[in-house]
Amino acid sequence: MATYDEQVDLPYAPKQIFELVADIESYPKFLRHLASARIRRRKDNTLWVDQVVRFGILRLKFSTRAVLEPPTRLRVVCHDSLFGTFEQAWSFVPISSGGTRLGCHATYEVRSTLLRLGLGTALPDMLATTVKGFEARARQLYARAG
């Protein structure tokens, strides 16, 4: 079992950052490692999502369940056969500057021994790339021309 933790301060309101992270179907527009993301079903604050991640020449399909708790938290759980465990929590904490501390915490275990050697070691980089992708997307969507 491995974990990943990162926090980054952004100069945008928690509601804005939450909406950006909750816009799952837009991910392939700005996250290179994600080939597709489709919301298969919605019920109240829960989304069932099918995703395809690019891993080298491979395309790995998996399903997640996202629970939206606006504007403070978004939780993602995957019980797909690809992972033994994959849980991710995004937090959106107001900071004194008026911005948001975006937090990402993930716990994961890749089930397949072969995939563990590649994907298991690549996941921290993919998660870091995702955080950086959200930073860049927030600047693109919310930055005011000076």
Side-chain angles (χ1 to χ4, degrees), residues 64-81:
T64 61
R65 181 174 38 90
V67 179
L68 311 177
E69 301 172 24
T72 60
R73 200 166 122 156
L74 189 152
R75 293 180 290 127
V76 178
V77 178
C78 179
H79 293 293
D80 214 281
S81 60

Side-chain angles (χ1 to χ4, degrees), residues 8-17 93-102 134-136 138-140 142-144:
V8 61
D9 290 350
L10 301 171
Y12 313 106
K15 182 179 186 290
Q16 290 175 299
I17 302 303
V93 178
I95 54 177
S96 61
S97 65
T100 303
R101 178 161 294 138
L102 173 64
F134 287 143
E135 285 184 78
R139 277 192 306 275
Q140 180 184 33
Y142 306 131
R144 305 274 189 251

Side-chain angles (χ1 to χ4, degrees), residues 76-90:
V76 178
V77 178
C78 179
H79 293 293
D80 214 281
S81 60
L82 180 63
F83 295 99
T85 301
F86 184 87
E87 296 180 8
Q88 185 178 38
W90 293 93

Side-chain angles (χ1 to χ4, degrees), residues 27-83:
Y27 289 5
K29 294 177 185 175
F30 62 94
L31 297 176
R32 291 187 334 258
H33 61 276
L34 206 57
S36 70
R38 182 180 67 84
I39 297 172
R40 176 174 22 98
R41 180 175 164 221
R42 296 174 193 260
K43 184 177 180 192
D44 301 324
N45 67 335
T46 303
L47 309 174
W48 286 264
V49 182
D50 294 327
Q51 299 178 59
V52 177
V53 68
R54 292 182 179 102
F55 179 63
I57 60 169
L58 300 176
R59 300 294 181 264
L60 304 172
K61 182 179 179 179
F62 62 99
S63 297
T64 61
R65 181 174 38 90
V67 179
L68 311 177
E69 301 172 24
T72 60
R73 200 166 122 156
L74 189 152
R75 293 180 290 127
V76 178
V77 178
C78 179
H79 293 293
D80 214 281
S81 60
L82 180 63
F83 295 99

